[in-house]
Amino acid sequence: MQLTIRKDDLSGEFIAQLLQKHLDFTAGESPPESSHALDLEALRAPDITFWCAWDGDSLLGCVALKDLGVTDGVAPGGARHGEVKSMHTAEAARGRGVARALMEHLMAEARRLGYARLSLETGSMESFAAARRLYARFGFETCAPFGDYVLDPHSEFMTIELAA
C-alpha cells in the first residue's frame, strides 16, 4: 500500500460516496439528536480543513479539522482549539493503518497551525469502541462536553493538549 494523504475540496464522487457511508453508519448507530456527523455541504465550511487518504486511485479514508477558534477555559490560556470531525476509513481498508496515518497527519497539521488542544465527539456504543481505542492510543482522554455539545449518554467526548 502506497498511502498518500492530501487536502481535499470535497468535490469528487468517491469522497461523496465515502461520506455517505459515514453518515449512514452514524445514523444507524445513534439517535438523530445524538448524531453529530457533518454532511458534505457542512464540511465545506471555511473553518474546516479536510484530508483524504489514497492508495493510487483508491480512496481509503478521510478526516477533518474544525477550527473552534480561541476558547477560554478549554484550551490553555485561551489558545486555539480544534475539533476532529468525519474520521472514517473505508471498510475494505480497515486494519491497514489508515486511521492511524490520518490521525498522525491531522495532529501534525494542528501543531503546525498552532492549535493548543484537539477535542472530539464520538459514539459511546460498542460500535464506536475501535474509534475510542484509536483516539486513546494517541493520548486523547475522556472530557466534558465542549463547544455546543451537551451531556448525552450516546456521546463520548475526548480531548488532548498538544505539545508546542
Side-chain angles (χ1 to χ4, degrees), residues 2-3 5 7 12-13 17 28 33 40 45 48 61 64-65 78 89 101 108 111 114 116 140 145 150 155 164:
Q2 183 65 35
L3 188 68
I5 298 174
K7 210 180 268 190
E13 180 181 333
Q17 292 170 358
E33 67 277 6
L40 197 59
I48 295 177
L65 173 62
T89 302
R111 285 183 180 99
F140 282 81
V150 295
S155 290

Side-chain angles (χ1 to χ4, degrees), residues 25 87 99 103 120 122-123 126-137 158:
F25 170 77
M87 170 62 100
M103 281 304 299
L120 61 90
T122 190
E126 182 59 29
S127 54
F128 293 92
R132 292 191 306 270
R133 285 191 301 272
L134 171 76
Y135 301 133
R137 282 195 301 273
M158 302 179 82

Side-chain angles (χ1 to χ4, degrees), residues 93-126:
R94 293 184 184 152
R96 296 170 51 193
V98 173
R100 177 186 44 77
L102 283 165
M103 281 304 299
E104 287 171 352
H105 184 84
L106 180 141
M107 291 177 75
E109 284 294 301
R111 285 183 180 99
R112 186 183 68 76
L113 294 168
Y115 285 85
R117 178 170 299 279
L118 291 176
S119 300
L120 61 90
E121 180 276 338
T122 190
S124 62
M125 296 73 76
E126 182 59 29

Side-chain angles (χ1 to χ4, degrees), residues 39-102:
D39 65 18
L40 197 59
E41 196 55 40
L43 286 166
R44 290 184 176 128
D47 60 346
I48 295 177
T49 306
F50 194 87
W51 295 276
C52 289
W54 295 87
D55 181 8
D57 292 336
S58 298
L59 177 59
L60 305 180
C62 60
V63 68
L65 173 62
K66 181 177 182 179
D67 186 350
L68 299 177
V70 175
T71 54
D72 293 328
V74 179
R80 285 179 74 191
H81 185 199
E83 180 180 2
V84 179
K85 296 293 293 181
S86 300
M87 170 62 100
H88 191 82
T89 302
E91 192 170 341
R94 293 184 184 152
R96 296 170 51 193
V98 173
R100 177 186 44 77
L102 283 165

